[in-house]
């Protein structure tokens, strides 16, 4: 087996009990050579993430408010962890340094990064792995732009000298040594960058769920778990709001042809979800991999006879939205009608102007606007080989009395998108699910 890189998220590292679990996971798999850690997350619903507490002390300091109580909470999170696990590590110098830096105007990024930094020191000690500071691996330029190649070369060179290492996620450094963080949830990105640089066989992303479900189980109670998904399918589902991973973490792993495996720290024996470039053999006869959806769209239905005779029709149609800075999400047209879907948030007070333009410039015969529209998507590489999916979906929705403003199947036929009224959102997912999944 090749090298595995494992990233553990905040809930997987929230306290000493969690740390014991991750040690068991790592001890059970000698292929895990490099471990990337987040800062400790929430232990219970009303708890605070250490990163949020760190942003908190920076904000308190900037507003000249006392921050010692918040800092004591952070310290005790780490101290209790070490005490319960018998980890002999004196962090008093580190704590003092953070306070000194804070007093001397340390940046928000520096302060926020200390959760990952301290957690990695503790985890490395507990696992008996080397600690490597992400500031020495992940590079940004003076303006804070991520430097991809330098980072890759750096990680490859430095890690080649360490058989096992724990690396803090979320941050790197600029040429002047100043710390720069990725956006929130960015430890996923660090994990992917390390996986790519060391040529990992798989990038394991350990979290508090067992990967993806075929759809929201609150809508379809018996929704099954997705064991395999391709990067393309994941992208389409993510557009529709399904997400477990930081979006920027996908690119480095995918570019290097490394599969990502989402695993659950609470249930390590569960297979999780494997994200691969190509459809895996075992999954070849699945039609749909996932169903997802989003509310909050508006749909413009435009009627005009003989659209194809008006050469500038599409330019004028797109222009009516572009001129008012509204992004078109979907545009579909037939002989005598066109449908445009835009995010509700982008039209609000502009809708009447847009409608006026559509009448004036397009000479539309009728324009109707439906607010509160939802988009529901079925996504699956298997759909392209199976004929009649479109018809099946249409028939099932008609049979349920669900009105659709638009049904669209992409050219590659790996996704099918339906626009329905917001009130029919859950019913549409259930109906399509039944039509395609429980044949
Ligand atoms: N600790 C950071 C956050 O809360 C980064 C991460 O967990 O990935 O966003």
């Amino acid at each position: 087996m090749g090298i595995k890189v494992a990233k553990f998220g905040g809930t997987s590292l929230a306290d000493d009990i969690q740390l014991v679990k991750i040690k068991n996971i790592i001890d059970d798999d000698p292929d895990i050579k490099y471990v990337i850690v987040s800062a400790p997350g929430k232990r219970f619903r009303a708890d605070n993430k250490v990163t949020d507490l760190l942003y908190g002390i920076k904000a308190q300091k900037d507003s000249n408010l006392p921050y010692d109580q918040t800092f004591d909470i952070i310290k005790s999170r780490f101290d209790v962890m070490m005490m319960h696990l018998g980890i002999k590590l004196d962090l008093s110098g580190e704590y003092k340094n953070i306070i000194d830096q804070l007093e001397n105007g340390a940046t928000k990024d520096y302060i926020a990064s200390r959760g990952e930094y301290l957690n990695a020191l503790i985890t490395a000690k507990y696992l008996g792995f080397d600690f490597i500071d992400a500031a020495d691996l992940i590079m940004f330029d003076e303006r804070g732009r991520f430097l991809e190649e330098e980072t890759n070369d750096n990680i490859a060179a430095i890690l080649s000298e360490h058989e096992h290492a724990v690396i803090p996620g979320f941050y790197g450094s600029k040429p002047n040594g100043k710390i720069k963080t990725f956006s929130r949830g960015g430890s996923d990105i660090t994990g992917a960058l390390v996986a790519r640089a060391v040529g990992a066989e798989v990038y394991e992303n350990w979290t508090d769920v067992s990967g993806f479900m075929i759809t929201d189980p609150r809508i379809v109670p018996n929704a099954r778990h997705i064991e395999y998904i391709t990067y393309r399918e994941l992208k389409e589902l993510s557009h529709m709001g399904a997400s477990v991973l930081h979006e920027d973490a996908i690119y480095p792993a995918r570019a290097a042809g490394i599969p990502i495996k989402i695993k659950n720290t609470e249930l390590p024996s569960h297979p999780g979800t494997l994200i691969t470039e190509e459809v895996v053999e075992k999954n070849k006869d699945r039609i749909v991999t996932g169903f997802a959806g989003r509310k909050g769209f508006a749909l413009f239905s435009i009627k005009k006879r003989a659209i194809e005779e008006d050469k500038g029709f599409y330019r004028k149609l797109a222009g009516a939205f572009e001129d008012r800075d509204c992004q078109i999400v979907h545009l579909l047209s037939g002989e005598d009608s066109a449908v445009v879907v835009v995010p509700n948030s982008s039209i609000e007070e502009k809708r009447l102007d847009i409608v006026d333009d559509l009448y004036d410039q397009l000479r539309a015969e009728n324009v109707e606007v439906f607010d509160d529209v939802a988009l529901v998507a079925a996504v699956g590489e298997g759909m392209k080989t199976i004929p009649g999916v479109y018809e099946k979906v249409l028939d099932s929705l008609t049979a349920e009395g669900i009105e659709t403003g638009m049904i669209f199947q992409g050219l590659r036929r790996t996704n099918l998108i339906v626009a329905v009224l917001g009130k029919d959102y859950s019913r549409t997912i259930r109906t399509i699910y039944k039509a395609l999944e429980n044949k």
Side-chain angles (χ1 to χ4, degrees), residues 7 9-10 38-39 49 51-52 55 112 116 169-170 183-188:
K7 179 257 168 180
S38 282
K49 294 180 176 186
T51 308
D52 290 328
Y55 281 122
E116 270 72 11
F170 190 37
S183 58
R184 293 299 304 262
S187 299
D188 283 345

Side-chain angles (χ1 to χ4, degrees), residues 290-310:
F291 299 85
R294 257 164 64 193
K295 293 186 187 173
F297 295 95
L299 185 147
F300 288 71
S301 167
I302 301 132
K303 298 256 179 309
K304 176 185 160 85
R305 237 165 300 142
I307 287 178
E308 78 276 5
E309 284 168 20
D310 179 354

Side-chain angles (χ1 to χ4, degrees), residues 322-334:
E322 193 188 341
D323 288 350
R324 298 206 154 65
D325 210 17
C326 297
Q327 205 203 343
I328 296 178
V329 180
H330 287 288
L331 191 163
L332 206 66
S333 72

